[in-house]
Amino acid sequence: MVSQSPDTKISLKSPIRAPSAVPVDDAVLPFEVDALDLRGRLTRLGPALDDILTKHDYPPQVGKLLGEAIVLTTLLGSTLKFDGRFILQTQTDGPVSFLIVDFQAPDRLRAYARFDKKRLRDGQDSGTLLGKGHLAMTIDQGADMSRYQGLVALDGGSLEDAAHEYFLRSEQIPTRVRLAVGEEWRGGDGPKHRWRAGGMLMQFLPKAPERARQADLHPGDAPEGAVMHQVAEDDAWVEGQSLIGTVEDVELIDPDLSGERLLYRLFHERGVRVFKPLPLHAQCSCSREAVSAMLNSFAPQDRAEMVKDGKVVVTCEFCSSVYEFSPDEAGVE
Ligand SMILES: [Zn+2]
């Protein structure tokens, strides 16, 4: 299996422009810091995230975790080819046992989380909510392309940790990821509560590959007495990491700070180039036809067992759309 990085090349043909002062929500902004050999993407999510999370009325900590998974998915999946698909899933033993985010290029997002309400407590962080298990990322580039799946163990850490682990072990590209999700409370007319999220992915892609050597994330895994391998990281990557390290959650989700302003704030001394933003939409791909086809794939007995009060009702787990069929339509004899 050929490992294809989800990070494909950014087109350099976009014109250079001044940073926009107007914040754009629901978009991924690709950027490049040439002087440091850094490439990256910045995601800002507002209405699309709110749409996905509000449909399910998730408890706050579950909404926050699913929001982080959604942001991570947009950072990883947004460079896919036109009909590509990027699916991020976790399967773990924590209170949130299953998360799925499905990104269909160029711009469609859907997601949901399964959780055990009885095991939820106030103040549980992402790592505790997930527990132990694994995170899987599947890239599907269309019918005649091979599927790629990357797996990362989850062991009580956050999704940011898992992303770092993935890039260190599988891609071997020096990468830093930041994810932030917050709730916004407003007065006045209109909705009082809204979800917002933001995130950044930054990669060090020097022309000379030997400059991309990385320090191991977990020297603690080595047996006692082992001589640790000291790796001096490249100065440009050290500088890049220290800059992204200064980004605060509030900056990533601030509705009044444009992504371009944030990038300028971080990298203005080195010069940052920003490319055309890629819009994102919350849109499910379910349909009555697809649900009907799924019903048809079930064994006749299973279909018969789905009849309740003289009808078969199927609810889409992603978007909560309800599809009703008569027993006849559902193929029940
Ligand atoms: Zn749906």
Side-chain angles (χ1 to χ4, degrees):
M1 187 167 62
V2 182
S3 165
Q4 287 169 292
S5 166
D7 185 64
T8 50
K9 293 223 160 57
I10 294 164
S11 161
L12 296 175
K13 287 182 188 128
S14 317
I16 295 170
R17 53 197 171 80
S20 162
V22 185
V24 178
D25 276 334
D26 297 341
V28 181
L29 194 62
F31 66 90
E32 184 181 74
V33 183
D34 229 5
L36 297 174
D37 291 310
L38 300 176
R39 293 232 188 96
R41 293 188 280 284
L42 176 75
T43 292
R44 312 302 293 276
L45 285 171
L49 179 78
D50 197 53
D51 189 56
I52 294 171
L53 298 183
T54 307
K55 269 193 184 123
H56 286 266
D57 200 17
Y58 290 113
Q61 63 271 55
V62 178
K64 185 169 182 291
L65 175 62
L66 185 57
E68 288 172 5
I70 292 169
V71 176
L72 180 58
T73 301
T74 65
L75 292 171
L76 299 174
S78 57
T79 55
L80 287 180
K81 296 217 179 73
F82 189 79
D83 58 352
R85 194 162 184 175
F86 183 99
I87 298 161
L88 183 145
Q89 287 177 76
T90 63
Q91 236 164 341
T92 50
D93 65 3
V96 179
S97 57
F98 181 75
L99 289 176
I100 181 165
V101 188
D102 177 6
F103 175 80
Q104 268 184 282
D107 60 0
R108 286 201 293 182
L109 265 177
R110 58 180 191 163
Y112 76 90
R114 226 175 269 154
F115 60 96
D116 182 353
K117 214 171 184 167
K118 295 191 292 292
R119 294 175 66 196
L120 293 177
R121 308 275 177 277
D122 284 342
Q124 283 168 322
D125 63 14
S126 300
T128 311
L129 289 168
L130 289 164
K132 292 182 185 187
H134 67 263
L135 176 137
M137 292 176 275
T138 308
I139 300 166
D140 202 335
Q141 296 264 37
D144 28 310
M145 300 282 289
S146 64
R147 263 165 90 92
Y148 164 80
Q149 194 172 53
L151 271 182
V152 193
L154 288 167
D155 196 13
S158 66
L159 290 174
E160 273 180 22
D161 297 338
H164 293 151
E165 184 78 14
Y166 170 74
F167 280 104
L168 182 67
R169 305 272 174 231
S170 307
E171 302 280 330
Q172 297 172 354
I173 300 170
T175 303
R176 277 290 165 273
V177 172
R178 287 281 288 110
L179 308 170
V181 180
E183 293 169 89
E184 186 190 2
W185 299 90
R186 285 184 183 227
D189 300 334
K192 300 267 182 284
H193 170 268
R194 286 185 214 184
W195 287 98
R196 294 192 59 79
M200 192 185 284
L201 174 143
M202 188 182 78
Q203 298 191 302
F204 181 47
L205 296 161
K207 278 174 201 84
E210 66 274 13
R211 290 181 58 206
R213 65 196 178 271
Q214 296 177 80
D216 202 301
L217 283 179
H218 299 293
D221 291 350
E224 224 173 296
V227 179
M228 286 315 296
H229 198 67
Q230 291 295 325
V231 177
E233 291 183 319
D234 192 273
D235 288 347
W237 180 231
V238 170
E239 183 176 339
Q241 289 179 89
S242 94
L243 289 172
I244 197 173
T246 66
V247 180
E248 300 197 26
D249 284 8
V250 63
E251 292 178 294
L252 288 169
I253 60 179
D254 184 350
D256 300 318
L257 174 66
S258 79
E260 295 178 347
R261 287 265 176 231
L262 172 56
L263 291 172
Y264 185 74
R265 194 183 273 182
L266 282 176
F267 299 113
H268 65 96
E269 282 179 16
R270 292 297 191 168
V272 54
R273 186 138 72 136
V274 171
F275 303 94
K276 206 173 150 225
L278 314 157
L280 297 166
H281 300 284
Q283 194 189 337
C284 195
S285 51
C286 68
S287 66
R288 194 173 168 81
E289 291 70 36
V291 175
S292 175
M294 180 195 73
L295 286 172
N296 271 310
S297 72
F298 291 165
Q301 197 198 330
D302 293 340
R303 283 196 295 251
E305 280 169 10
M306 293 178 76
V307 180
K308 292 211 171 76
D309 302 325
K311 58 193 178 192
V312 174
V313 179
V314 178
T315 305
C316 173
E317 286 192 277
F318 283 103
C319 68
S320 305
S321 293
V322 177
Y323 297 94
E324 275 191 28
F325 299 87
S326 69
D328 202 38
E329 288 170 325
V332 177
E333 276 121 49

